[in-house]
Amino acid sequence: MVVRSLAGVWHALLIRDPYGNWSLPKGHIEGGESLREAAAREVEEETGLTPEEVGPKIATVDWTFRHGRGIVHKYCTFFLMRNRFGSAVPQHDEGISECRWLPVPDAAARIVYENTRAVVLRAHDMIAEAGW
């Protein structure tokens, strides 16, 4: 999850995913990447922004969904990342139609995926605890 302070208020970077829902950048590990490396790469691939700092792990979430005749079980680990400069640009070839910076509580309210909303709320607590 990428954050930045705008006028003294912490904002989270949201993407509109291929299903038209607001969410956080996420993806999968490629090659011999670590979870942190994959998280930073996915942010760059989906938003055009390179995180300046990849901080602590926020949470690992899991979910299941139907794909064809089978059930797929996925996991995603989110890290608290900071980016102070640059404009996010939705990467349409990644299925991202929009990027938006929103105050963290507003960002959480926009996310329809319960497990991802919980990540944003936990990150909000972590930012306050860490004194970023």
Side-chain angles (χ1 to χ4, degrees):
M1 180 178 138
V2 184
V3 297
R4 70 169 46 158
S5 180
L6 298 169
V9 176
W10 285 101
H11 285 62
L13 179 60
L14 297 187
I15 60 166
R16 191 178 295 270
D17 69 18
Y19 307 102
N21 296 316
W22 289 104
S23 191
L24 299 173
K26 61 184 171 294
H28 58 278
I29 292 175
E30 292 182 357
E33 288 179 318
S34 69
L35 290 173
R36 286 175 185 280
E37 291 167 337
R41 178 186 47 76
E42 288 291 346
V43 166
E44 187 169 357
E45 285 182 2
E46 294 183 358
T47 70
L49 289 178
T50 302
E52 297 163 16
E53 179 181 350
V54 180
K57 175 182 165 180
I58 303 168
T60 298
V61 299
D62 68 308
W63 66 99
T64 57
F65 61 93
R66 287 196 176 279
H67 183 70
R69 294 181 162 204
I71 300 286
V72 177
H73 190 181
K74 285 199 167 189
Y75 297 88
C76 185
T77 299
F78 291 94
F79 294 90
L80 189 56
M81 296 180 250
R82 186 184 334 220
N83 177 279
R84 294 175 294 163
F85 309 106
S87 298
V89 177
Q91 303 301 303
H92 297 284
D93 58 337
E94 293 286 325
I96 309 306
S97 59
E98 191 174 350
C99 298
R100 187 174 296 172
W101 290 100
L102 291 173
V104 174
D106 296 343
R110 290 266 178 117
I111 295 174
V112 298
Y113 307 116
E114 185 177 332
N115 57 5
T116 306
R117 186 177 333 109
V119 167
V120 174
L121 294 172
R122 173 66 186 125
H124 190 247
D125 293 342
M126 290 174 70
I127 291 167
E129 292 166 7
W132 271 24

